[in-house]
Amino acid sequence: MKKTSFQLILLFILLVFLQIWLFDNIHLFGFATPLLYIYFLIKLPISMNRNVVILLSALLGFIIDIFGGTLGLSMTVLVIVGFLRYYLLKLFAPRDVFDDYFPSFSTFGKFLFMRYAVIITLIHIFLLYMIESFSLFTPVLLLLRIAGSFTLTILLIFAFECVTIDVFKK
């Protein structure tokens, strides 16, 4: 258990660092920004207590908000996604996966993990940009921001998953 806790702490620190100092400065074509920090919620163990997941979601969102200057926006969205994570895992996790495993290509299979990651990322980015814009005055720009950020984030998540596939293996 100590090994997995240490791995999660390192993943948390790495993703926050990358988001704050690298990915927040990327605005591809003026509207697409990768939001890789959602990968932390995706990789939390299946058996983790729902209250702890929501607490970690709030902490992650709070730190992103402090450095991003978004005044609670990320925290709100991540708490919602942290709450929905349990239901998404029930929907996508194979029945024969043991409770102490991390969602990954090796435990879920590539197709199920991709579906799980795509849905949780799409919910996160959709809520983030809808709450941020708080209007539908420019729906084309809003859809472009959602589609661009979603595409960049998913590509980075799958690349990260390919690189870290053996780190979280039991």
Side-chain angles (χ1 to χ4, degrees):
M1 188 62 170
K2 289 181 184 180
K3 181 180 177 186
T4 56
S5 299
F6 181 70
Q7 290 171 335
L8 285 173
I9 291 169
L10 282 178
L11 182 66
F12 185 91
I13 292 169
L14 176 68
L15 291 175
V16 167
F17 179 77
L18 285 173
Q19 186 66 42
I20 292 168
W21 280 284
L22 180 64
F23 295 130
D24 277 351
N25 297 320
I26 297 174
H27 303 289
L28 197 60
F29 304 116
F31 57 85
T33 302
L35 304 169
L36 187 62
Y37 58 87
I38 191 67
Y39 184 67
F40 178 74
L41 287 182
I42 291 171
K43 290 301 283 187
L44 288 176
I46 295 171
S47 64
M48 186 172 274
N49 185 335
R50 290 164 50 181
N51 295 330
V52 174
V53 171
I54 292 173
L55 183 67
L56 289 173
S57 301
L59 178 65
L60 177 63
F62 181 70
I63 292 171
I64 296 296
D65 283 335
I66 285 175
F67 289 102
T70 51
L71 300 174
L73 178 67
S74 296
M75 186 175 175
T76 303
V77 172
L78 283 172
V79 166
I80 293 169
V81 172
F83 175 78
L84 294 175
R85 179 186 175 270
Y86 171 77
Y87 301 104
L88 292 172
L89 279 172
K90 288 192 85 59
L91 188 66
F92 292 111
R95 303 287 181 234
D96 59 343
V97 172
F98 297 104
D99 285 336
D100 58 345
Y101 278 91
F102 293 86
S104 68
F105 283 159
S106 59
T107 56
F108 277 27
K110 287 187 181 181
F111 181 70
L112 280 178
F113 179 79
M114 287 171 48
R115 283 180 45 196
Y116 166 66
V118 162
I119 295 297
I120 204 165
T121 305
L122 187 60
I123 290 170
H124 173 258
I125 291 174
F126 179 78
L127 287 174
L128 185 73
Y129 286 129
M130 284 298 292
I131 293 172
E132 182 185 52
S133 72
F134 208 61
S135 71
L136 293 175
F137 288 124
T138 56
V140 174
L141 180 63
L142 180 64
L143 288 175
L144 284 174
R145 288 181 72 194
I146 291 171
S149 295
F150 171 74
T151 304
L152 281 176
T153 304
I154 281 297
L155 289 174
L156 283 170
I157 285 173
F158 292 148
F160 222 76
E161 181 64 23
C162 289
V163 170
T164 63
I165 197 161
D166 292 328
V167 174
F168 287 100
K169 194 179 267 188
K170 283 233 168 207

